């Protein structure tokens, strides 16, 4: 994009700004002070006796305004701005189960589903981390079924792996697995006769 094309429509605005700056250059000092809440204020009039003065240097503009605009236009150089495409941030999110969900399953089965904004293939794959340990091999599917998991609380996380390196991770969630325990009937003790 050439900036000179951008500045040509702005020439009348630049002229107005220069004229306004030249005519309103009366305040040559600003004052700074801090209130009781620690907020720093800047004004053109001292508001407190302990205000700090900052003198300003003012450049006066004189001469023909049209000539000044032509000078600005002449000093404007063509600059080409290279726009880089926005980088996509790879993300992965656990959809199911939800954080702190209680799962009731007597076989200890947990079904896990995730979504990602990245396309999975042989190089970019997903892996399940259960209680801090990778469970199974990386895969291109975003569903897992783990079984025979002990009852209690468990940490789940999904990682995207590319070339053996983790490139994205989901938030770690906690799930609670409840398994009913069936106690076998105790045999009746033999009664002596």
């Amino acid at each position: 994009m050439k900036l000179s094309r951008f500045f040509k429509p702005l020439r009348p605005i630049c002229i107005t700004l220069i004229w306004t700056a030249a005519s309103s250059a009366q305040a040559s000092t600003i004052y700074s002070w801090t209130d009781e809440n620690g907020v720093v204020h800047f004004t053109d009039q001292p508001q407190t006796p302990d205000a700090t003065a900052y003198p300003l240097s003012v450049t006066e503009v004189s001469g023909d305004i049209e000539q000044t605009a032509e000078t600005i236009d002449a000093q404007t150089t063509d600059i080409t701005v290279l726009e880089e495409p926005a980088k996509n941030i790879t993300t992965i999110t656990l959809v199911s189960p939800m954080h702190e969900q209680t799962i009731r399953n007597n076989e200890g089965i947990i079904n896990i589903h995730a979504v990602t904004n990245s396309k999975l293939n042989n190089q970019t794959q997903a892996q399940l981390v259960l209680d801090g340990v990778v469970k199974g091999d990386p895969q291109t599917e975003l569903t897992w079924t783990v079984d025979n998991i002990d009852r209690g609380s468990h940490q789940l996380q999904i990682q995207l792996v590319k070339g053996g390196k983790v490139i994205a991770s989901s938030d770690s969630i906690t799930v609670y697995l409840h398994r009913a325990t069936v106690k076998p009937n105790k045999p009746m003790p033999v009664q002596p006769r």
Side-chain angles (χ1 to χ4, degrees):
M1 148 185 1
K2 302 245 182 203
L3 291 180
S4 62
R5 284 185 281 160
F6 175 73
F7 284 115
K8 283 189 181 186
L10 295 177
R11 187 184 314 181
I13 296 171
C14 290
I15 293 171
T16 306
L17 288 175
I18 292 171
W19 184 259
T20 305
S23 63
S24 64
Q26 296 174 4
S28 61
T29 304
I30 60 170
Y31 299 89
S32 170
W33 57 280
T34 305
D35 65 14
E36 62 275 356
N37 296 325
V39 177
V40 178
H41 299 271
F42 292 92
T43 62
D44 60 347
Q45 300 288 325
Q47 302 294 319
T48 62
D50 60 336
T52 305
Y54 295 98
L56 298 177
S57 62
V58 177
T59 304
E60 292 200 23
V61 177
S62 62
D64 184 19
I65 296 298
E66 287 298 321
Q67 182 183 4
T68 305
E70 289 171 8
T71 304
I72 290 173
D73 193 34
Q75 292 175 350
T76 304
T77 57
D78 290 338
I79 299 173
T80 303
V81 178
L82 300 176
E83 296 179 12
E84 292 185 24
K87 294 181 181 179
N88 290 337
I89 298 174
T90 303
T91 60
I92 187 158
T93 306
L94 268 164
V95 176
S96 153
M98 296 187 332
H99 181 56
E100 295 190 350
Q101 180 177 344
T102 299
I103 301 169
R104 290 174 172 73
N105 188 293
N106 289 336
E107 287 80 35
I109 297 173
I110 301 175
N111 293 312
I112 302 153
H113 303 282
V115 294
T116 182
N117 65 346
S118 179
K119 189 171 186 172
L120 299 183
N121 52 36
N122 289 339
Q123 287 144 6
T124 305
Q125 298 179 327
Q127 67 185 11
L128 170 66
V129 179
L130 175 67
D131 295 328
V133 177
V134 175
K135 192 84 167 167
D137 293 328
Q139 62 187 39
T140 56
E141 298 295 320
L142 292 171
T143 59
W144 293 263
T145 299
V146 290
D147 59 358
N148 202 23
I149 304 298
D150 293 333
R151 65 182 174 184
S153 67
H154 298 281
Q155 299 291 316
L156 297 174
Q157 185 180 44
I158 307 298
Q159 296 176 339
L160 287 181
V161 181
K162 187 173 188 176
K165 180 181 173 188
V166 176
I167 59 170
S169 296
S170 69
D171 290 335
S172 181
I173 66 165
T174 302
V175 294
Y176 305 100
L177 181 61
H178 287 210
R179 293 177 75 170
T181 303
V182 178
K183 294 184 179 181
N185 292 334
K186 292 184 181 178
M188 295 294 286
V190 178
Q191 297 289 332
R193 295 194 181 224

